[in-house]
Amino acid sequence: MKKKVCDAWVPKRNQKGGEKGFFFVPSLQELCLEMLADNADAMVSLEGVPDELIRKLCNLLCDSRKMNTRFLELLLSGSPTEIRLKDCSWLTEEQFAKYFQTCDTTRLEVLQLDQCGRCIPDYALLGTLRQSPRWLPKLITLSLSGACRLSDKGLHVLASSAPALRSINLSQCSLLSSASINILADSLGSLLKELYLDDCLMIDAAQIVPGLKKLKHLEVLSLAGIQTVSDEFIKDYIIECGHNMKELILKDCRKLTDASIKGVAEHCPGLCALDLMNLDKLTDLSLGYLTNSCRALHTLKLCHNPFRCFLVFCYFLCLIIHLHIACP
């Protein structure tokens, strides 16, 4: 009787590898973090754990919708230097007040409470921050993306309580008006370096130019989705203040034309990153302006624009040649 020859064992392809035969092998650290995330309710302390690992664990818990008040209490215990939660949609006003009122924020340098629209209205900030031991004396980075109940009044409280702030993300804070930029300028005019205002629909770009000009050291500005951003805004602001700019995000600012890109190219000599996605009024001229002037540029986003493929290729070829010339 002829023996049946068994097929060779073939390992199951990892989903991340697709059909091309590539395999994703998680590191030991990743496996350990996943196990900790699955058993987070059994953890009793984060003392001695490096901030980087706590950050990764928080991201895993947020992504898997397992973040809760039990773990939040561990994060806030002692005197933390970082609190990073990229999804606070589960947190209520009462829980926010209960846990943050007793938190020692004297050493806190990074506070990220994104998607916190449910838990942070103005009165919650007023009641919570004013009862903190010393408010936020060392805070450098603040992110409140999606704080849809935060108004200019609440922002004033925050800016006043964080005198060392360098970076603030207010994306999708739909109640903020143009006056919010003056509030930041009056409190942080000589310090603020990064400002994110994506999709703040009540902000009129023309009205915030005076306030932006007071932010003397601003290096990163994101205005994605603000439809009032126009060629006139770029002319009024960038020509005077573009010399400090390192990153500019203009995604979905659909009124912009080649004139704006010319202004950016000529007046932002140190620009390293530029996002021009979904700007359908741009033409191939914009690529020429960038090629001729933006020699420091290393990140450029051009998706969904009407550029001809050949000219995009030529632009990147010029950029590569420049990089080869500039690098030893």
Side-chain angles (χ1 to χ4, degrees), residues 2 29 56 72 82 155 196 235 260 271 291 322:
K2 187 176 181 180
Q29 183 186 96
K56 291 180 179 179
L72 178 61
E82 289 191 5
L155 181 61
Y196 300 85
K235 178 182 177 182
S260 289
L271 195 65
T291 303
H322 166 71

Side-chain angles (χ1 to χ4, degrees), residues 117-181:
R118 181 185 179 194
C119 64
I120 305 186
D122 288 345
Y123 57 81
L125 281 175
L126 291 167
T128 302
L129 289 179
R130 288 182 177 174
Q131 295 185 44
S132 297
R134 286 178 56 192
W135 293 22
L136 302 164
K138 293 187 177 181
L139 192 68
I140 296 174
T141 301
L142 174 64
S143 181
L144 295 176
S145 176
C148 57
R149 300 173 72 188
L150 177 70
S151 74
D152 296 337
K153 183 179 180 180
L155 181 61
H156 178 71
V157 173
L158 281 169
S160 301
S161 60
L165 204 60
R166 301 290 192 277
S167 174
I168 185 166
N169 185 350
L170 299 171
S171 300
Q172 300 173 12
C173 292
S174 54
L175 292 183
L176 294 182
S177 73
S178 302
S180 61
I181 307 305

Side-chain angles (χ1 to χ4, degrees), residues 142 155 165-171 176 180-182 184-185 188 192-198 200 203 208 211-213 215 217-224 226 237 245 247-249:
L142 174 64
L155 181 61
L165 204 60
R166 301 290 192 277
S167 174
I168 185 166
N169 185 350
L170 299 171
S171 300
L176 294 182
S180 61
I181 307 305
N182 287 323
L184 294 176
L188 306 164
L192 200 65
K193 290 188 174 183
E194 299 180 1
L195 177 59
Y196 300 85
L197 298 170
D198 303 5
C200 290
I203 289 180
I208 66 174
L212 287 176
K213 288 181 178 180
L215 300 173
H217 300 285
L218 196 65
E219 297 178 354
V220 178
L221 178 62
S222 182
L223 301 170
I226 298 182
Y237 175 65
M245 202 60 59
E247 182 174 354
L248 189 58
I249 301 170

